[in-house]
Amino acid sequence: MLDAHLKQQLEAYLVHIRESVELVASLGDDAKSRELETLLAEIADLSGKITLVRTNDDKRTPSFMIRRAGTDIGVRFAGIPMGHEFTSLVLALLQVGGHPSKAAQDVIETVKGLDGDLHFETYFSLSCQNCPDVVQALNLMAVLNPRISHVAIDGALFKEEVDARQVLAVPTVYLNGELFGSGRMELEQIVAKLDSGAEAKAAEKLAAKEPFDVLIVGGGPAGAASAIYTARKGLRVGIAAERFGGQVLDTMGIENFISVPYTEGPKLAAQLEGHVKENGVDIMNLQRAEKLIPAAREGGSHEVVLANGASLKAKTIILSTGARWRQMGVPGEDEYRNKGVAYCPHCDGPLFKGKRVAVIGGGNSGVEAAIDLAGIVGHVTLIEYDDQLRADAVLQRKLASLSNVQVITSALTTRVNGAEKVTGLTYQDRTTGAEHEIALEGIFVQIGLVPNTEWLKGTLALSQRGEIEVDANGKTSLPGVFAAGDVTTVPYKQIVIAMGAGATAGLSAFDYLIRLPAEEIETAAAA
């Protein structure tokens, strides 16, 4: 299963294993079991500290446990963790084998101190780029605390189980048999849900920070570029981000990033974070901004109030909070979110294998989603509000070549129908006014983005669409406050454009700071 190059890379990682590890496999006579057995045997051959053990002690087949020899420390995978989950497999081998985690020490200690028996089950799909974050976090917790266990389950391989639990989105996590959460979660978020005092401790830690020269709110490509450009000027820079990487984390394939023919969102986000850290930037992840308090006078300190109650101060602010998926805003959409209504075809598409789904939106994102889904599901209905598709011609030609896709134009979706989960949708023909119903089991919404600026209303100038108004230098209507990326009025929401705008905003912030009178800088620092 593993090619020569991948075996060479994996062998280099496995030298870091300190403790003997057993791969305890529960296998049947089916093709997937044979495939898993081949994979595990190849891994065992790469390290003298890894042994393959065959057993039938698990209800899920094929599955395997990575167990520290002579102990109960380990994690379990139900399925074959390739694709995006191959990294989760490698990390599990290392961590069960005694290689230390890079997680923050205070978080590690909190995990070790969690009380009670906690059994986690995570449903993932191999094409989901957000699933590995959850799988890896829970695997680490199971290694650190003997009262925590975790099994990661490939939803596409265990369809009966998925259908019984009505899992229609990944990652979906169960704790002790009850739904714990759905969607991307990081280790700190999971710990905060389990430890009631975690958020208060994090807020106290943030509130104690000294004022920054530059505080960047948002950790996408624009925020990362701003951080690098300002930090390289010798400034004290911080990033407060709800999730570092932003929308890039939800992007599967990137083929128009200049000089890089192909990459994937999570990989690019990790590279951005690494580059930012190399420049000494203080990254404060999982922090949502709720209020901006402008400086009382030019040259004073601005203040950003976070959702946990902490406040951060800085002489200059760069806003790069990006955008999120636009919702249809029709009855039933919120009610059936993650119960058939989805926004990520790459993540959730495999859960709808053989079923009938709709894609809402005829731009590039919508048509690409329809093309991807057509290879998985039984039938795709693409619904577009306009009287023609807006996607690039090459995508439209590909779409037209698919036999299991129907395109409906001049259609307005008016309602999501369901009973516990999605059963269909209602749309209005904009030409005749007639209403029609379509029987469906999934709806993928791809109708563009909305800027994350609700928390800024009344504070600085926003456009009618809610975007932050900026000039050519990234300046906003507030002195000392700059903005960049998809959250602004800059046209064309592209990664490369956001990076350039982030660099511009960073250089503008630096220019603003060096032109402040010395006495104002000293006063601001003391504020």
Side-chain angles (χ1 to χ4, degrees), residues 266-299:
K267 180 179 179 181
L268 177 59
Q271 291 171 326
L272 289 174
E273 186 170 8
H275 196 176
V276 169
K277 286 180 176 177
E278 284 180 6
N279 285 274
V281 176
D282 187 349
I283 297 177
M284 297 158 281
N285 207 7
L286 308 178
Q287 302 303 325
R288 186 176 78 252
E290 287 201 338
K291 187 177 182 181
L292 171 63
I293 303 175
R297 59 178 180 78
E298 186 167 359

Side-chain angles (χ1 to χ4, degrees), residues 122-145:
T122 301
Y123 292 92
F124 67 86
S125 70
L126 296 178
S127 58
C128 171
Q129 62 267 42
N130 290 326
C131 293
D133 290 320
V134 177
V135 171
Q136 290 164 24
L138 291 170
N139 278 349
L140 175 60
M141 291 174 64
V143 171
L144 293 173
N145 188 324

Side-chain angles (χ1 to χ4, degrees), residues 122-437:
T122 301
Y123 292 92
F124 67 86
S125 70
L126 296 178
S127 58
C128 171
Q129 62 267 42
N130 290 326
C131 293
D133 290 320
V134 177
V135 171
Q136 290 164 24
L138 291 170
N139 278 349
L140 175 60
M141 291 174 64
V143 171
L144 293 173
N145 188 324
R147 300 189 68 180
I148 299 174
S149 63
H150 179 230
V151 55
I153 307 159
D154 183 354
L157 197 57
F158 294 88
K159 282 292 293 175
E160 290 185 6
E161 191 172 331
V162 163
D163 291 342
R165 279 182 158 173
Q166 296 189 0
V167 175
L168 294 173
V170 289
T172 291
V173 180
Y174 282 80
L175 170 59
N176 296 337
E178 300 293 330
L179 183 64
F180 177 77
S182 184
R184 186 174 184 271
M185 293 180 284
E186 302 210 13
L187 176 62
E188 291 82 357
Q189 288 173 293
I190 296 170
V191 172
K193 290 187 72 170
L194 298 169
D195 177 16
S196 58
E199 188 172 24
K201 286 183 281 189
E204 185 179 355
K205 186 176 178 181
L206 289 169
K209 290 183 180 290
E210 295 294 323
F212 294 95
D213 295 317
V214 181
L215 175 63
I216 299 155
V217 185
S226 295
I228 292 166
Y229 268 76
T230 50
R232 284 171 59 85
K233 297 293 186 182
L235 301 175
R236 183 168 183 271
V237 181
I239 290 182
E242 194 163 352
R243 57 172 188 160
F244 196 96
Q247 281 286 116
V248 168
L249 291 168
D250 302 325
T251 305
M252 183 66 174
I254 300 170
E255 299 178 293
N256 57 356
F257 190 57
I258 311 305
S259 83
V260 180
Y262 179 83
T263 189
E264 295 182 350
K267 180 179 179 181
L268 177 59
Q271 291 171 326
L272 289 174
E273 186 170 8
H275 196 176
V276 169
K277 286 180 176 177
E278 284 180 6
N279 285 274
V281 176
D282 187 349
I283 297 177
M284 297 158 281
N285 207 7
L286 308 178
Q287 302 303 325
R288 186 176 78 252
E290 287 201 338
K291 187 177 182 181
L292 171 63
I293 303 175
R297 59 178 180 78
E298 186 167 359
S301 285
H302 304 280
E303 183 177 353
V304 174
V305 181
L306 304 175
N308 60 15
S311 291
L312 299 171
K313 293 184 177 181
K315 304 170 201 172
T316 59
I317 302 285
I318 297 176
L319 302 170
S320 60
T321 46
R324 62 187 183 276
W325 293 117
R326 186 181 297 277
Q327 294 184 268
M328 295 182 291
V330 300
E333 181 178 17
D334 285 336
E335 182 180 355
Y336 296 109
R337 185 184 179 105
N338 294 331
K339 298 177 182 178
V341 176
Y343 300 85
C344 181
H346 302 296
C347 299
D348 300 332
L351 300 177
F352 294 84
K353 185 177 181 180
K355 297 180 179 180
R356 298 180 65 87
V357 304
V359 173
I360 312 299
N364 281 351
S365 295
V367 172
E368 286 174 352
I371 292 170
D372 287 345
L373 289 166
I376 303 170
V377 305
H379 187 271
V380 179
T381 302
L382 188 146
I383 297 177
E384 165 58 27
Y385 179 84
D386 206 348
D387 60 1
Q388 61 183 354
L389 300 182
R390 295 167 286 108
D392 294 342
V394 64
L395 294 175
Q396 292 195 44
R397 286 195 295 272
K398 174 64 176 176
L399 186 72
S401 72
L402 302 174
S403 61
N404 63 336
V405 176
Q406 176 188 8
V407 176
I408 301 175
T409 56
S410 297
L412 171 65
T413 303
T414 57
R415 185 171 64 251
V416 173
N417 305 319
E420 294 187 357
K421 60 182 179 179
V422 166
T423 58
L425 64 76
T426 303
Y427 75 89
Q428 182 185 63
D429 185 320
R430 295 180 55 243
T431 303
T432 65
E435 285 204 335
H436 304 272
E437 290 191 5

Side-chain angles (χ1 to χ4, degrees), residues 63-77:
S63 68
F64 68 101
M65 184 176 187
I66 303 174
R67 183 173 66 194
R68 187 175 298 171
T71 75
D72 293 326
I73 297 172
V75 300
R76 188 178 293 275
F77 288 91

